[in-house]
Amino acid sequence: MGNGFHVQDRFAAGAQYIGGKLRSGTSGRSHDVVNPATGETVYTYELAGPADVDAAVAAAREAFPGWSGATPAERSEAMHRFAAVLAEQAADFAYAESLQCGKPIKLSTEFDVPGTVDNTSFFAGAARHLEGKAAGEYDGDHTSYVRREAIGVVGSIAPWNYPLQMAAWKILPAVAAGNTIVLKPAEITPLTSLMFAQAATEAGIPDGVINIVTGAGKDAGEHLVGHPDVVMTSFTGSTAVGKRVAEIATATVKRLHLELGGKAPFLVFDDADLEAAVNGAVAGALINTGQDCTAATRAYVQRPLYDAFVQGVASLMETVRLGDPFDPSTDLGPLISHAQRDRVAGFIERARAYATVVTGGEAPGGELADGAYYRPTLVAGAAQDSEIVQSEIFGPVLVVLPFDTDDEGIALANDTPYGLAASAWSRDLYRAGRATREIKAGCVWVNDHIPIISEMPHGGYKASGFGKDMSVYSFEEYTQVKHVMYDNTAVARKDWHRTIFGDR
């Protein structure tokens, strides 16, 4: 295993990237990055403390005038170079992502890394297309136009399930719009976030524009969110932690963007292509070992197809190959940690009291016993209000429930606190169209589940948060909209002044 990329050598100076340089953290506490496929430590580093956050914010603040003052073309050219550097280093990024996360190398190689390169290319172009309302004389006497301006230093926090892509989703729209940023990745998966920032420096993006602080949430994360020089916070993670981030951010009146948990419904009508739905359910439920906030987690199947769907999904799940993430034939890697594996197993063990585990429901033994593996699991017979239907599990688990009428299916799909993603499966245009209108989620797929593209927004409803990642809609998060208004009359005494003093 290995491709000439040595983690300890690459990050010997530390896991903080501040002002264009790696350095060690100052918290006085170390942390191990562990390969969840083997339980082996691959990197040990010093965690960031508040002083490191202060230094990173200071570097970002110092870089802001120059970067925000650059022309859109200059920022765009730098980001195109950034995309090229990422593409050149694709193999190293894929290796590091699989090493720290346990992702199958085919997922890192074919999804995480090329998706990040594409995001970078997209925002390189988008940097030159900040949209606003056309200038015009909307009241007849004045010319109005809209400016979009960078807002300042952004402090973002990214999760561990897609460390590279989430770093990109946070960093790219912010810097394309002229902001500077301090990103705190999850302390268990910092490698590709650090590499991403290094690649930006290699591409010529100025020092201090992109900074990484790797520390614990209580020390580094909360200090970053509450920092007086940080004007915006973007957070992706659990709803519970998102609430804490919101409390800290609102205390200092920061702009806030939250992408939180999900419990995506997978709604199969009785006229659906059964084979397509079965394939889509297994792929949508198991991507990234189910550690995906948009993963298919609740399948609602209209009763005429229910039995065949359960049988088909169970049979297909049993063919999924668990194994070494660096084996190209491996389909499913481990969960991110043994603690997460045990959390998932706890949901299943509790569910046995009220539901049926159709397949899976166990950790494999043998050669995989040291890793955080869990078999693909299908659960049937659970009630709609049960824990396994309502709570986010974040593992390779799909729960399937029947429904009778279209009204019932859509109501069940909407019956959780979350609203990040969903899918509807039908050959009927009108039936599918109704589902896309009535399901309360930020993304609704029809006859597919999971694909994302850089040109379209990602973000949720309800307890799944607010604001958008990717697409030009993300500039709504990362720019100030300013109305500029010029008087065109050259009249000293305006007609409207009579409402304040004097007569017409």
Side-chain angles (χ1 to χ4, degrees):
M1 195 173 70
N3 61 348
F5 178 90
H6 300 289
V7 175
Q8 294 286 0
D9 294 342
R10 177 72 176 261
F11 302 113
Q16 319 304 325
Y17 196 74
I18 299 172
K21 295 179 176 60
L22 284 171
R23 52 188 265 185
S24 186
T26 62
S27 71
R29 293 185 295 119
S30 63
H31 189 82
D32 295 334
V33 176
V34 175
N35 177 353
T38 63
E40 297 173 351
T41 296
V42 298
Y43 179 55
T44 301
Y45 67 94
E46 296 297 315
L47 288 162
D52 303 301
V53 173
D54 290 343
V57 172
R61 188 178 181 189
E62 182 178 354
F64 177 72
W67 184 247
S68 62
T71 66
E74 289 168 339
R75 288 198 295 270
S76 177
E77 288 169 6
M79 293 184 71
H80 277 300
R81 294 194 300 269
F82 187 12
V85 172
L86 294 172
E88 290 168 3
Q89 299 177 9
D92 283 350
F93 274 97
Y95 174 79
E97 194 77 334
S98 288
L99 185 67
Q100 67 181 351
C101 299
K103 294 175 188 282
I105 193 67
K106 65 179 181 179
L107 182 66
S108 296
T109 301
E110 299 178 29
F111 183 73
D112 296 74
V113 175
T116 301
V117 175
D118 185 71
N119 278 180
T120 309
S121 294
F122 171 81
F123 279 107
R128 302 182 73 162
H129 296 281
L130 294 177
E131 295 180 352
K133 196 168 186 175
E137 289 68 52
Y138 293 98
D139 71 350
D141 290 337
H142 302 81
T143 295
S144 289
Y145 65 87
V146 169
R147 290 178 56 88
R148 280 191 181 273
E149 298 178 352
I151 58 177
V153 177
V154 177
S156 293
I157 300 176
W160 48 255
N161 57 334
Y162 290 101
L164 176 60
Q165 290 204 82
M166 294 298 98
W169 286 17
K170 299 300 182 197
I171 290 169
L172 295 171
V175 301
N179 301 290
T180 56
I181 188 167
V182 178
L183 174 79
K184 192 198 90 65
E187 58 268 35
I188 59 176
T189 54
L191 304 181
T192 49
S193 298
L194 293 165
M195 292 167 64
F196 192 72
Q198 288 177 311
T201 299
E202 290 178 43
I205 291 176
D207 294 348
V209 172
I210 300 172
N211 306 275
I212 309 293
V213 290
T214 310
K218 287 288 185 183
D219 296 332
E222 293 196 2
H223 190 64
L224 177 62
V225 174
H227 200 288
D229 290 334
V230 169
V231 297
M232 174 186 167
T233 291
S234 176
F235 170 81
T236 296
S238 71
T239 298
V241 178
K243 290 177 180 178
R244 175 60 180 155
V245 169
E247 289 174 0
I248 299 169
T250 53
T252 49
V253 199
K254 286 178 170 48
R255 184 178 295 195
L256 184 61
H257 170 209
L258 298 174
E259 199 265 85
L260 307 176
K263 190 71 178 176
F266 188 99
L267 187 61
V268 183
F269 294 103
D270 58 14
D271 67 332
D273 180 326
L274 179 63
E275 181 183 7
V278 167
N279 286 317
V282 173
L286 300 185
I287 185 171
N288 203 36
T289 319
Q291 299 167 126
D292 186 313
C293 47
T294 64
T297 59
R298 299 178 289 136
Y300 297 102
V301 184
Q302 209 149 23
R303 211 169 290 274
L305 293 185
Y306 178 80
D307 289 340
F309 179 88
V310 171
Q311 181 180 353
V313 168
S315 296
L316 187 53
M317 279 186 169
E318 288 165 5
T319 71
V320 171
R321 299 163 296 184
L322 282 68
D324 177 1
F326 291 97
D327 183 338
S329 67
T330 292
D331 297 321
L332 196 75
L335 290 147
I336 191 66
S337 66
H338 287 81
Q340 180 66 12
R341 193 268 312 275
D342 293 345
R343 179 179 181 275
V344 171
F347 276 100
I348 302 305
E349 293 312 306
R350 292 189 295 275
R352 293 185 194 277
Y354 57 80
T356 300
V357 178
V358 180
T359 189
E362 64 180 4
E367 295 179 354
L368 303 181
D370 290 337
Y373 289 89
Y374 200 78
R375 294 196 186 281
T377 301
L378 180 65
V379 177
Q384 174 66 16
D385 63 354
S386 62
E387 177 192 50
I388 205 164
V389 174
Q390 293 292 324
S391 299
E392 187 173 32
I393 299 171
F394 233 53
V397 178
L398 178 65
V399 183
V400 59
L401 298 88
F403 70 93
D404 292 303
T405 68
D406 289 18
D407 288 351
E408 181 190 8
I410 290 173
L412 289 169
N414 284 327
D415 185 28
T416 70
Y418 300 106
L420 187 58
S423 63
W425 297 74
S426 173
R427 291 184 172 96
D428 187 314
L429 174 66
Y430 298 100
R431 216 174 193 183
R434 179 192 174 191
T436 65
R437 292 190 301 274
E438 296 186 13
I439 292 175
K440 304 304 181 187
C443 174
V444 181
W445 293 283
V446 176
N447 296 326
D448 209 342
H449 195 108
I450 286 298
I452 54 175
I453 49 176
S454 297
E455 291 83 357
M456 287 292 144
H458 176 89
Y461 285 32
K462 303 190 292 186
S464 292
F466 46 82
K468 299 300 179 184
D469 290 311
M470 299 200 299
S471 81
V472 293
Y473 291 97
S474 64
F475 286 129
E476 300 294 336
E477 316 299 323
Y478 294 101
T479 55
Q480 283 282 15
V481 174
K482 177 186 288 184
H483 170 213
V484 178
M485 193 176 205
Y486 283 91
D487 171 58
N488 293 329
T489 66
V491 173
R493 179 72 181 268
K494 307 291 195 289
D495 185 55
W496 71 268
H497 292 174
R498 66 186 172 81
T499 62
I500 312 302
F501 58 89
D503 300 317
R504 185 184 294 275

